[in-house]
Amino acid sequence: MIPLIPEWAHHYGEFWRAIRIRNLWFIKLRYLAVVMLLAFTISGQYIFQFYFTSNQFVALLTISILILLYNIVIQQTRKYVGCIPDKFNCLHLSLIQMALDLISLMIVVYYTGLIESPLHLFFIFHMIIGSLILPGYLVYITAGIISVLFGLLAMLQRYGLVEKYFIIGLYTNNRPQTLTYDILFIIIFTLMLFISVYIANKITRQLYKREQQLRSTLEKLNEAEITKQKYIIGIVHEVKTPVTATHSIIDLIINKFVGPIDIEVEKKLHRAKQRTEETLNLLNDILRISRLKILDVKSAEEIDIVKLFESLIDKQLELVKTKSITLELNDKRAENKKIKADTILLELAISNLLSNAVKYVDQNGIIEILLEDRDGMLFIEFSDTGIGIPKDSLPKIFTQFFRASNIDRSKHSGTGMGLAIVKEIIEMFGGNIVVKSPSRIGDEQHPGTTFEISLPYNFKPNRYDIFVVNNEDYLSNRNEF
Ligand code: ADP
């Protein structure tokens, strides 16, 4: 098989993605070319005053239909052609397309006057497109073949060895054309082809090089971020160990395992235990967010979102009943389409929003969860009739450690890390989250909050998201989420 992959594109996934997209683009463009060629032939013959001989007319119609047919075949084949370098791949398909296009163009140019035909400019366009896809040497060879063929046909026509065609009404064979003119034309045409290939090749190479530089810089940045997060995890673990020990010792004393204690001391110890618990929660949240940043999220599973909601609501049921909350889950989608994401992470995000809603609504509050299909994405709306979020706090609500000014710290315990984690997860899966307050169902007394999430059903990792992994680390700690 011909070695088609340019040296600079080896092991470069983005190159293959671009080839596939460009192949599709050529297919669409070719349909347009067929329409234009048919329009040119038919309108010329019947509307405008330029005429083709029956030979020309039949040839142009036949070539239009042939282009249409091979385009349909290529379009169908494209679906089955992959991107494996050693097998027949999308790059070979590009080469076949280019060869067929050039042969067709040569025929069209020949039947419309060769040197006189204005359509020969399309050869330059093809050379530029070829340079975007194929290795330089192949495009140079192609440019050489076109020049030789073009020159040969022009000479054969000049000496009457092949028929010469004109478009009567556009130009005639009365034009005095010397041999010098023909030779000059062929030389300039050849030069134009080669210069176009040279410039297009140079630009393409530079473009890919820049992309690679950008990619490696991003990789370095991600590596630095991961090192930073690992450092944070290390420190937090160091701090967590003595806090956990302190918490256990206080617990032992409160439970009187080390002897009787005075009631005042016990009160103080309860307070101390509560503070250590808050610190532990905070440390766990920091650990969660740091681990999220170093995860490999490419392992996406198929999730039944309704089931996931139901199981998470079940876990909150006790509190929901105690506060007499009305909680509704409303799936307005035509079908319960599965979503591709990491179950644990999605659970973590949704349970955070759910527990916030339960935490921040008062007695007899309402929580409404809506599922919809919007623009091919899963749209989730969480609305409640809770305390709401003041206008000035809304822009900072997804910032780590931020808690709005209207909360009652004695009633609403928390660390201000939950929403930062939620946002991180949703964006990791290519989604988006926005907050609104008052909510859709709120009133004057209970303004409430609405969170709107859009999530793609099929999570595709962004090519620049290099969540290089410490998968073992992640898996061994998943149960902490
Ligand atoms: P936490 O709830 O632990 O404080 P979060 O990051 O989950 O932290 O939320 C950040 C802040 O956003 C909360 O402190 C609260 O002020 C506000 N908030 C989040 N969800 C709601 C809600 N459903 N209703 C009212 N305020 C909310």
Side-chain angles (χ1 to χ4, degrees):
M1 213 153 277
I2 315 166
L4 284 183
I5 313 165
E7 206 188 300
W8 43 264
H10 272 277
H11 315 294
Y12 193 21
E14 180 51 23
F15 170 78
W16 292 102
R17 205 179 71 93
I19 300 293
R20 282 190 73 83
I21 292 172
R22 279 174 198 163
N23 275 350
L24 185 65
W25 187 58
F26 296 154
I27 291 168
K28 288 181 185 164
L29 218 61
R30 204 171 289 112
Y31 282 123
L32 187 71
V34 172
V35 173
M36 280 167 61
L37 186 58
L38 281 173
F40 171 72
T41 313
I42 295 167
S43 66
Q45 193 80 339
Y46 299 109
I47 303 171
F48 302 107
Q49 299 303 302
F50 53 89
Y51 302 102
F52 300 105
T53 61
S54 58
N55 257 2
Q56 279 175 303
F57 192 67
V58 172
L60 290 176
L61 282 189
T62 314
I63 197 70
S64 311
I65 289 163
L66 282 176
I67 298 173
L68 180 69
L69 289 178
Y70 78 69
N71 202 31
I72 292 171
V73 174
I74 289 169
Q75 191 178 15
Q76 295 308 316
T77 319
R78 182 186 168 269
K79 295 174 195 158
Y80 306 101
V81 178
C83 297
I84 302 165
D86 301 331
K87 291 191 176 163
F88 182 79
N89 57 49
C90 50
L91 207 49
H92 292 106
L93 196 66
S94 302
L95 183 65
I96 293 174
Q97 287 189 73
M98 188 158 154
L100 287 171
D101 284 345
L102 287 172
I103 294 168
S104 311
L105 184 60
M106 189 58 93
I107 297 172
V108 172
V109 168
Y110 171 71
Y111 276 100
T112 50
L114 203 71
I115 285 185
E116 262 93 9
S117 171
L119 303 179
H120 65 250
L121 289 173
F122 279 111
F123 280 117
I124 292 170
F125 167 73
H126 272 86
M127 288 301 97
I128 293 171
I129 284 189
S131 307
L132 295 181
I133 295 183
L134 300 168
Y137 78 93
L138 256 180
V139 195
Y140 280 118
I141 292 174
T142 318
I145 295 173
I146 294 169
S147 307
V148 170
L149 242 148
F150 192 88
L152 199 71
L153 276 173
M155 286 304 122
L156 290 175
Q157 278 188 337
R158 162 161 289 278
Y159 295 107
L161 296 169
V162 295
E163 198 168 340
K164 195 164 184 173
Y165 290 98
F166 302 93
I167 304 179
I168 303 155
L170 270 190
Y171 39 84
T172 66
N173 67 354
N174 295 334
R175 272 180 63 185
Q177 225 179 58
T178 60
L179 175 65
T180 324
Y181 175 86
D182 279 2
I183 293 173
L184 208 65
F185 189 97
I186 293 162
I187 292 172
I188 291 173
F189 176 73
T190 308
L191 262 174
M192 280 305 291
L193 286 189
F194 277 86
I195 291 171
S196 312
V197 175
Y198 175 76
I199 294 174
N201 247 313
K202 242 193 141 61
I203 294 173
T204 314
R205 264 169 192 251
Q206 275 173 359
L207 220 71
Y208 273 103
K209 267 195 190 148
R210 282 275 146 81
E211 270 202 58
Q212 273 176 317
Q213 277 170 357
L214 190 70
R215 224 175 106 87
S216 81
T217 313
L218 275 165
E219 269 172 31
K220 278 185 199 147
L221 268 175
N222 274 300
E223 270 167 32
E225 174 69 21
I226 286 163
T227 314
K228 185 180 106 191
Q229 295 305 335
K230 283 184 178 168
Y231 180 70
I232 292 175
I233 290 174
I235 292 183
V236 173
H237 267 299
E238 286 301 310
V239 179
K240 216 178 135 182
T241 315
V243 179
T244 315
T246 314
H247 183 266
S248 315
I249 294 167
I250 297 172
D251 220 27
L252 283 178
I253 303 173
I254 288 176
N255 288 317
K256 317 228 171 46
F257 287 121
V258 282
I261 46 167
D262 165 325
I263 191 91
E264 267 315 298
V265 175
E266 192 179 337
K267 264 193 205 162
K268 294 269 182 258
L269 284 177
H270 270 296
R271 183 84 194 106
K273 188 184 165 193
Q274 198 188 339
R275 297 306 297 267
T276 52
E277 274 167 5
E278 281 170 10
T279 312
L280 281 173
N281 284 342
L282 180 65
L283 294 176
N284 278 334
D285 276 344
I286 297 173
L287 281 180
R288 266 182 207 140
I289 218 149
S290 289
R291 285 199 187 108
L292 270 184
K293 287 183 190 241
I294 55 173
L295 291 187
D296 179 7
V297 288
K298 282 169 202 150
S299 56
E301 306 136 54
E302 295 239 310
I303 303 169
D304 182 332
I305 196 81
V306 176
K307 274 199 184 144
L308 187 114
F309 265 102
E310 283 169 353
S311 79
L312 293 176
I313 290 172
D314 239 30
K315 287 183 190 158
Q316 297 281 338
L317 224 52
E318 202 66 34
L319 246 173
V320 169
K321 276 187 190 155
T322 320
K323 284 177 109 174
S324 305
I325 295 169
T326 311
L327 201 160
E328 260 182 45
L329 171 65
N330 197 349
D331 185 4
K332 287 194 166 174
R333 297 170 305 156
E335 53 164 333
N336 183 10
K337 207 168 143 193
K338 299 226 163 102
I339 183 161
K340 256 193 181 164
D342 183 306
T343 316
I344 307 280
L345 293 183
L346 201 61
E347 257 183 30
L348 178 65
I350 291 170
S351 70
N352 251 307
L353 292 172
L354 201 60
S355 59
N356 271 353
V358 173
K359 179 162 67 178
Y360 295 110
V361 296
D362 289 331
Q363 207 70 18
N364 302 318
I366 303 170
I367 301 172
E368 257 185 42
I369 303 160
L370 199 77
L371 302 180
E372 267 180 30
D373 272 329
R374 277 200 199 169
D375 306 324
M377 302 243 258
L378 171 65
F379 177 78
I380 310 171
E381 188 203 273
F382 277 84
S383 292
D384 63 47
T385 55
I387 60 167
I389 300 171
K391 235 188 178 87
D392 60 329
S393 294
L394 279 174
K396 292 173 251 160
I397 215 69
F398 295 107
T399 317
Q400 294 180 15
F401 305 113
F402 180 80
R403 307 197 75 199
S405 51
N406 63 332
I407 55 156
D408 176 352
R409 282 175 193 268
S410 63
K411 201 162 108 189
H412 306 123
S413 63
T415 59
M417 290 289 278
L419 287 183
I421 295 176
V422 173
K423 190 169 162 67
E424 187 90 25
I425 296 173
I426 299 296
E427 288 179 355
M428 224 177 210
F429 291 114
N432 180 41
I433 179 165
V434 284
V435 59
K436 288 177 183 166
S437 186
S439 77
R440 186 174 55 76
I441 53 173
D443 56 39
E444 288 252 315
Q445 263 192 318
H446 309 96
T449 310
T450 292
F451 286 95
E452 292 178 351
I453 300 174
S454 303
L455 262 183
Y457 276 102
N458 262 322
F459 164 65
K460 284 195 198 98
N462 185 321
R463 69 197 157 105
Y464 291 133
D465 283 346
I466 307 148
F467 295 103
V468 188
V469 219
N470 198 336
N471 233 349
E472 276 172 36
D473 200 24
Y474 164 52
L475 288 172
S476 64
N477 289 302
R478 269 172 87 113
N479 49 3
E480 269 196 43
F481 286 122

